[in-house]
Amino acid sequence: MLKHVKPVAWVKFSIVTLLYLLWALWAQSWLMLILLPVIFDWYITKKVNWTFWKKRGVKRQTKTVEWVDAIIFAVVVTTIIRIFLFEAYTIPTSSMEKSMMVGDYLFVSKVAYGPKIPNTPIAMPFVHNTMPFTKSTKSYSELIKWPYKRIAGFGDVERNDIVVFNFPTGDTVIIGAENPDYYAQMRGLADYYNISHSEARKLIHERAEVIARPVDKREHYIKRCVGLPGDTLTYVDGQLYVDGQKAENPENMQYNYIVKTNGTPLNKMRLKEMGVSYDDMSGNTGSVYNLPLTGEMVDKLKRFTNVNSVERVVLSEPSPDVFPFDTLNFKWATDNFGPLYIPEKGATVKLTPQNIALYERIIGVYEENDLKIKDGVIYINGEPADSYTFKMNYYWMMGDNRHGSADSRFWGFVPEDHVVGKAWIVWFSLDKDNSFLKAVRWNRLFKGADKL
């Protein structure tokens, strides 16, 4: 029956099958073997016209068919690359200044930590979560939902890696009012009206459209990993300590500083040359300035003849906006918190009504247990509990712009199933404060993210 098949067809089939089996082995998904008959038919039996848009037996197709063929091929290849190898990403905010800058275009390596299999495989190509020109139309279908699975990568998340991840508290979104996140707005409403969180939640749903998103369709964030599973962090006056040892600070880390002059204004052009953006200068008038600065910029500013003093801002007042949002038991501030244990897979912690705020979201949301607290007793899946063993690893992420970053201090831990990849290389960079060729930051092009 197969005598008419040319030897070259068998060779092609064998090579493609071998590569496909290696891919299935890498993905650790034997369900992929279902497609082997398709590969066999494509190269050997040719019973099914898999390229149905083409006419069989016609060597020269029409221009339209050729374009369709090229587009389908490009979409399939690009989608595979985006899922399994790397993806383009743009830095949208100043939270990682001056390491990652607004206007940086970079590639994110999916193989650094191992690519995730999509939770929602049915989706519009090249669109993250919302259809273009709409506010809330989903670009994906939840008809098929796959559990979390990560393919083997080159390594694990390491301390000080710049990591892209799905926003943990982006599971619920208020359309048209995405920032701050849903939970921050809920807590704010509860405090403002002196009502319960459940009443505030009901109020939000009455006033706005609220949607839910699966893990892989939550917004992408980029921060530096400063806390690994099993670490204990302490943050004292803006200095991070890991397991009691002073942590290494990123070279280009920024804090806000109060700059006082002798009464004359600072020269904006000189500030711009130092690296202060026009947005950071806005709102500053007179002889007192509040500016985000690196250590190098502070040294330069102190040499200005009209500068009297440069003092770092320390945000030490306990705040209900700082994780875990429990000022009764945790009087933590933006620049002062801890000690805080970062959960590690398989580790067990003691639970009390006093510390449950730390792990409440992990237990009830990320690890999908039924968590209730009644009469001072903690119940997990209907059973009283005084301890909990974690099912996943967790990370603590912070921006290098320490006073201008919405990071783990304001929403908590990052679960391992939210990690997307590692910032790899900046392939293009534009400074929005300049125009034409001056806008291109030539010194950043094709620089590794860990070199900036």
Side-chain angles (χ1 to χ4, degrees), residues 37-216:
V38 175
I39 298 174
F40 185 78
D41 184 70
W42 182 286
Y43 287 99
I44 306 301
T45 56
K46 301 183 184 296
K47 295 293 184 182
V48 179
N49 183 15
W50 299 102
T51 55
F52 57 85
W53 56 90
K54 293 182 179 180
K55 290 184 178 180
R56 274 190 163 180
V58 178
K59 290 186 176 180
R60 188 169 180 83
Q61 303 288 334
T62 65
K63 290 292 183 183
T64 301
V65 171
E66 289 179 355
W67 273 105
V68 170
D69 200 36
I71 290 170
I72 290 175
F73 178 79
V75 168
V76 171
V77 170
T78 305
T79 300
I80 291 173
I81 289 173
R82 290 181 70 235
I83 292 174
F84 293 99
L85 299 178
F86 62 86
E87 185 175 359
Y89 183 82
T90 306
I91 302 296
T93 70
S94 61
S95 69
M96 282 296 294
E97 300 264 352
K98 291 292 189 286
S99 303
M100 296 277 98
M101 301 179 71
V102 174
D104 279 351
Y105 294 78
L106 65 149
F107 287 126
V108 176
S109 171
K110 300 290 185 72
V111 295
Y113 311 129
K116 291 193 300 180
I117 299 298
N119 301 113
T120 50
I122 303 175
M124 181 69 66
F126 315 123
V127 181
H128 184 45
N129 51 34
T130 305
M131 291 296 290
F133 312 112
T134 70
K135 290 184 177 181
S136 60
T137 303
K138 294 180 179 179
S139 62
Y140 57 92
S141 169
E142 295 185 77
L143 184 64
I144 298 176
K145 296 177 73 173
W146 290 342
Y148 166 61
K149 181 179 179 61
R150 189 179 298 277
I151 302 172
F154 292 143
D156 299 319
V157 179
E158 296 181 1
R159 187 172 291 105
N160 288 326
D161 279 358
I162 298 176
V163 181
V164 172
F165 53 93
N166 296 111
F167 183 37
T169 54
D171 57 339
T172 308
V173 177
I174 303 173
I175 299 301
E178 289 80 6
N179 291 307
D181 67 76
Y182 170 85
Y183 299 97
Q185 294 189 55
M186 181 265 292
R187 291 190 299 270
L189 273 177
D191 291 342
Y192 184 80
Y193 290 111
N194 194 26
I195 56 179
S196 67
H197 285 182
S198 60
E199 290 173 317
R201 190 176 289 111
K202 182 180 178 181
L203 195 59
I204 290 174
H205 284 258
E206 288 174 350
R207 293 179 174 181
E209 180 184 359
V210 179
I211 62 171
R213 285 176 178 160
V215 171
D216 63 332

Side-chain angles (χ1 to χ4, degrees), residues 225-227 233 323 337 340 342 395-398 408-409 412-413:
C225 178
V226 299
L233 303 185
F323 179 85
F337 67 78
L340 171 66
I342 312 300
Y395 303 90
W396 192 261
M397 307 288 185
M398 291 177 68
S408 283
R409 291 170 292 177
F413 305 105

